[in-house]
Amino acid sequence: MNDMVRIQLQVNGANVEGTVEPRLTLADFLREHLDLTGTHLGCEHGVCGACTVLLNGDSVRACLMFAVQVDGADVVTVEGLAPEGALTDLQANFRRHHALQCGFCTPGMLTTAHAFLRECPCPSREEVREAISGNLCRCTGYIPIVDAILATAEARNDGGAQGAGEPK
Amino acid sequence: MERQEDFRFLTGRGCYVDDVRRPDMLHAVVIRSPMAHARILGIDASAALELPGVVAVITFADIRKFAKPIPQRTCPLPGMEKFLQVPLASDVVRYVGEPVAVVLADDRYVAEDAAEMVFVDYDSLDAVVDAHAAMAGGAVVHEQQGTNVASAYEVGRGDVARAFRDAHYTRKETFYVHRHSAVPLETRGLVAEWDPVAKHLKVWGAGKVPFANRAILADMLQLSPAAVDLIEVDVGGSFGVRGDFYPEDFLIPFASFHVGRPVKWIEDRRENLMATNHSREMHCELEIAVDAGGVITGMRGKVVADLGAYVRTNPGVMPGKGTQFLQGPYAIDHLGFEVRAVITNKTPAGTYRGPGRYESAFFRERLIDIAARELGIDPAEFRRRNLIRADQMPYDAGALVPGQPATVYDSGDFPAVFDRALAHFGFDDLTALNGRCVDGRWHGIGMACAPESTGGGPGEHARLELRHGGGFDLFVGSSSAGQGHETVMAQVLAESLGIPCEGIRVHHGSTTHLAQGFGAYHSRSAVMGGSAVVAVAQKMREALLARAGQLTGTPATSLKWDAGRVVREADGQTVATLAQLASGLPDCGPADHGLVGVSASFESNRLTYTFGVHLAHVSVDPATAQVRVEKYLCVEDVGRMINPMIVHGQTVGAAVQGLGGTFLDEFKYDESGQLITGTFADYLLPSSTDFENVDALTLELCPSPSNPLGVKGAGEGGIIGTGGALANAVSNALAQFGVSVTRLPMSLDNLARSLRQSRAGGTGVAR
Amino acid sequence: MKPPRFDYEAPASLEEALQRLRESGDDARVLAGGQSLIPALNLRLANPGRLLDLRRITSLRGIRRLPSGALAAGAMTRHADFERDPLMQRHLPIVPAVMRRVAHPQIRNRGTIGGSLAHADPAAEWPALCMALDATIVVASASAERRIPAAEFPLGVYTTALRPGELIREIEFPAWPATRRWGFEEVSRRLGDFAITGAMCTLDIDANQRCTAARCVIFAASERPQLVAAAAELVGGPVTEDAVARVAKAARHSISPLSDHHASAEYRLELVETMTARVLKQAAAMAAPTQESIR
C-alpha cells in the first residue's frame, strides 16, 4: 500500500531521480524535492495556471499531475527558460512592457507563452489572449502581458534572435 | 524606468512565503467550521494524533491562556468593539471557515490526512445570512450581545429636510453591491519560528502593516515587541486584504511557541475564499434633491453594511468611508445619512481596494444617471453643473465618520479633469451610439466620477546607510505587495541625491529594518513612504557634507551637495565624490549599520485627494444577456507621478479588477449559510479574454500641497468608478427594454432576469 | 489542498489494465488525462483506493482513418491532438473548432476524449460532440467488447452506460458527407469555463439547397446532452428562418433544464432556443464545402 515509487526524468536539461509517494503532485515534487520554487501554487485545482510547466514541450498544469506520471519525461520550469543570470527575449519583453507586478503568476505566464510562441510564431492579438486565458493574473489586467508576447513574436519575425539571452 | 524587482520574478527566483524553509519545520492545517452557526459540543483528535507524522492538534483549550479578541486597527465605529474575533472558536462557530483547531504534522499531506480524522461534534443553530433579516430579529449571531447591529449612527450637515422640502425634483432608489473581494493570486501564508533560547519569535510572510501586527501579536503572546520580528518576503498581491491581523497570525506563531519548532502554514485556495476578508456587501437607499437649475441641493440615505460574523481589524472602513464618499465630487450642501453595520453568519469583511468608494460611487453615479434621464438633462452636463470647482478648493466636505475629522479635499480641478476625460474618450462622437442597436447588439455609454482619499497618515519612517563603494541601503517602513516599491523608493532617493538608481538597494516591510514603521494601506506608500525618503535624503546630504568637511578640513558650511558629489559652494569645485566619501567603510550587509547612517520620518495627517472619471462603452446581446466592454477609460489626476509606467499599470490593473468585480466575482451563500462559490470554478476572476480594451490616462494637474513630492496615491482610483460607469453604460444600452441596473453584479443570470422581467411587462429592475 | 493516499499502477497494455480493473472492483478509478479526477482528489471529493493510470498504453492513443472513411480515435487521445490533427481538420472540421472551446490550452494538453466521455459532465463538449457526429463508443472489459451509440452513452450527471470493469477503448466517427455543414455555439461565463448552455448541429444541404439530413444537440442545459428531435423537420426542404425558429422553440420545450448559481433554469431555456436557432443559421449560412476540402 502506498509504496514509494522511483522516477527518473529530465528537468531543465538535467537528469533527475526521485523517490516519491504516488500522490505527490508534480508541482510539489518540483518545489519541495528539487527546490525549484519558481513554479507557484495558486489554486491546486487546475484553474489559475500559476503552476504551468512544460512537459515534453507542452504547457501543462503541474498541480494536476502526479510526479509518478512524469517518469521518463522532459520537464522545463521557469528556472530553465534562460541560462542562469540571463533573460530570454520573452522575459525581457515582460519587463519592458511592465507585464508583471507581484510576479506570482509570471512563471506560469512565461511557460505558457513560451510553448505557445513555438507552436504559433505569428499570432494575432486574439490568439495570444486565448493562449493565456488559462492563466489568471490579478495585477496587470493582462493587457501588457498580451503586448509583451506580441512584441516578442514580432521581433522574432523581424529577424531578432530567438530566445537570445540578455545580460542582467 | 524598468523595475528592479522584475529580474528575480522573471527567472523564478522570487522568494514568496511558501518558498521559506526552516530546519525541522512542521506544517499546519487549520480545521475550519463546515457550519455557518453551531455550538461545538466536543472535539476528538485522538485518531488524528495516532497518525504517524502528526505532532499536535491545537484547540481552544490550548490557547485559552492567550485567547483574547483581535483588536480593530482602523476606523472603529461605535459599538463594533463588542463583536471582535478570538483566534479559535471556543463554544460557538459563526461562519463557514471559522478556525476550530490546528493540526501540526511533519508534512502537509499528512496534516491534511489528520485534519480529516479530527471529529468535531456540532449542534446546528439557525443561521442568519441576509443583513435585513439580521436587523429584523432573526437568529442572533452573538447571543450575549442581543443584537446583530454592531454599529448604528447618523451623520450629516446642513438642513437636509429643508433641502428635500424645497426641491424641484427628488428621486429615491434602492441599491445593492454584492459580496466580493481581492482574492490575490498568492494565498496568505506564514512561517513562524520561536527560538526558546533567545526567547525570540520570527514570523515570515508579513505584509501591509507589520509594525502594527507585531504589537498585536506580542501583546497576545505576552511578549515584548522587541522579542518579535515580522519579516516581509515577496508578496503575491494584496489589494487590501493581505497583512491585516487574522486569526492565523496568532495561531501559527502560537503553534511554534507551543511545540518549539518552526511551523509553516500556507492557506489553500478553498480556505482563502472562505477565510480571508470578504468585502463590498452593502445595501443603500439613496435619495437626491435637485433644484430647478439642475443643481443637487441635498442627498440623504440609509446605508447597511454587511460585516459578516465578526468585526476584524478594519471593517468600519466600508460603512464609514462608504457613507463619507456618497456625496463624491459634487458640491452638495445638505446631507443626512443613517448607517447600520450588521453582523451575519458569513465570512468577516474588511477592506478591498477602494473600500467604501467603489460602493458609494456605484450608488451615487447610478442615481445621478437615473435623475438626469428623468430630468431630461444630458448626464455629462448634469455632472458638470454639480462638480466642485477649482476655486472652491480646498473643499470642506463635512465630518461624516464618527470620531474622525472633517473631510477636506486638498486640491483639484474636477471640471478640467472631467472635460479632459470626455475628450480623450471621444465621448461626443460615441454618444450617437448610446441606446442604439447595431448588428443585434445594443450599445450604451456610461460614466462615473469619484474622488479618492489617499496618503493615509500618521507618518512613515526611513533609514539610509552609505555603503562601501558608494552604494546605499535604503530601509523603508512601507510594505510592498508587488506594486514596485523597490523601484519607486530608489527613484525618489536617486532624484533627491542626484545619483543613479543602480547603486541603491531598497529594503521594505520588515520590523528588523527600522524601529518604527507603518506600512501600506490607503494608497499611502508614495505619499508617506516617498516623503520619508525625501526627508532621509536631506539628512544624508547634511551628514555627507559634514563628513566631507572632516575628511578635507573644510568647514561644512562652505560646501554643498551637487548630483552625488560634495562641491565648494564658492566655485563648484569637487571636494569629495561619493566613492571617496564611502572609502574606509566596511563592506557589510544590510543588517549592519554603515559608518554614515541617518534616519528620518515624515508626519502628516492631511490626506491627499485624487479625482477620477471612468468612461465605459458596452454592447449587449439581449438574447443571451452577454455584455461586451467595447472600450473602457479611467482618467485620474494624481498630482504627480514618480514612475508613470507603474502608475499606468496600477490603474489599468485596478480597472480590470473592477470590471471583473462588476460582472463576475461574487461570494454566494445559500440559505443555511454555506458558501457556494468556494472554488475558482465558482468564484470567477476575470481572465485575459474578458476585458480587452481598457486604458488609462493619468494627469498631473494639481499636485498635492501636503507633501514635498506633490504626489497623491495611485493604486485604487482605477477600481472605484467601475461599478457605476458600467451599470450606467449597460442601463443606457438596455433602456429600450426598460432595464435599470440597481444591483450588482451584472452577471449573465442577473441581467437575463432583468431582461425577462421587462419582457414580461414588469419593471426591468436588475436584481 | 493535497490528494489522499492511493495505490498507483500504470499497466503497460490494455489487457493488463482490464485485468487489473476486474480485480480491483469499486475501489479503483481509471486515470486518463486526470484533468477532472485530480482536482477532485486535491479537493478530497474523491478517495479511490487505487488509481489505474492508462498513460503507458500506447494503443489507446492516436487518430486513424478507417477504410470506410470513418475516423477512429483512441480513448487516450488528447483534446489538443484533435485540435491539431490534420485528419480531423480535413475530414471532421467541426471537431478542431469545438476543441478550441474546451477549457484552456494546458488542460487540452492533458485531457482526453475517453476521460471526458467517462466523466460525463453534462456541460462538457465531448459527449455532445460525439452525439452530434453519431459516433460509436467502443468499450472493452476483460471478457468482451461492446459498441455503444454516443446518444446512449451518457445517462445523467456523471453517469454513463459503462459497466464495472469496462474501459472506453476507442471512438469511431462516421464519414462526413460532402454536403455537410455545421454550427456550434456555447455561452459560458468566461472563455474556457464549462458552458451554461451550448448547441451544435450538422446540416447536409444538397446542390438544390435542400436539407437532406439534420442533427442538433443541446448540452449543458440539462442532465445530459440531448438530441433535438424536431431537427428532423428541417429535412426535405430549404432551411428557412421560420423552420429554424420552429425547431428552436421545439428544442426549448424538449428540455428539463438544470438550475445552479451560474444560471437559472429559465435563463437556460432562453439560451436553448437562442443557441439552437443560431447554430442552425450558422450551418445553413456556411459556404458549401468543396469536394477538395472533403477529401
Side-chain angles (χ1 to χ4, degrees), chain C residues 17-19 21-22 25-26 140-144 162-167:
Chain C
L18 291 169
Q19 199 56 43
L21 193 58
R22 177 151 77 177
D26 288 347
S141 71
S143 52
L162 274 178
R163 295 173 189 151
E166 282 183 336
L167 279 180

Side-chain angles (χ1 to χ4, degrees), chain B residues 140-161:
Chain B
V140 178
V141 179
H142 293 257
E143 212 173 3
Q144 69 282 14
Q145 303 302 343
T147 176
N148 293 321
V149 179
S151 188
Y153 62 89
E154 293 183 16
V155 288
R157 68 165 175 171
D159 185 347
V160 76

Side-chain angles (χ1 to χ4, degrees), chain A:
Chain A
M1 180 81 180
N2 301 305
D3 289 338
M4 300 294 271
V5 180
R6 269 192 82 66
I7 56 171
Q8 275 192 322
L9 63 153
Q10 288 254 318
V11 177
N12 297 334
N15 287 316
V16 164
E17 292 185 16
T19 306
V20 299
E21 223 189 332
R23 65 166 164 170
L24 184 75
T25 63
L26 172 59
D28 281 333
F29 175 69
L30 295 168
R31 290 182 50 81
E32 306 298 328
H33 290 229
L34 304 183
D35 207 22
L36 292 169
T37 55
T39 298
H40 295 155
L41 287 169
C43 76
E44 295 181 282
H45 53 279
V47 183
C48 80
C51 68
T52 303
V53 299
L54 304 179
L55 173 70
N56 301 326
D58 290 332
S59 61
V60 300
R61 303 210 190 282
C63 75
L64 296 191
M65 289 197 69
F66 298 114
V68 288
Q69 296 184 284
V70 298
D71 184 31
D74 178 52
V75 172
V76 175
T77 69
V78 67
E79 291 93 339
L81 294 179
E84 180 89 40
L87 297 180
T88 63
D89 54 348
L90 178 67
Q91 288 166 322
N93 272 315
F94 264 58
R95 183 159 74 174
R96 195 165 302 136
H97 289 267
H98 193 29
L100 66 156
Q101 290 180 25
C102 80
F104 199 77
C105 75
T106 308
M109 284 287 181
L110 288 168
T111 45
T112 301
H114 185 92
F116 167 69
L117 286 177
R118 207 154 42 193
E119 223 173 274
C120 184
C122 306
S124 65
R125 204 170 176 88
E126 196 57 38
E127 285 170 322
V128 173
R129 269 199 292 264
E130 288 192 15
I132 60 165
S133 63
N135 295 71
L136 296 177
C137 167
R138 206 62 183 130
C139 296
T140 64
Y142 303 101
I143 292 157
I145 298 176
V146 176
D147 290 340
I149 296 168
L150 275 174
T152 305
E154 279 161 22
R156 287 181 188 178
N157 295 328
D158 290 347
Q162 271 229 7
E166 177 188 280
K168 185 177 177 179

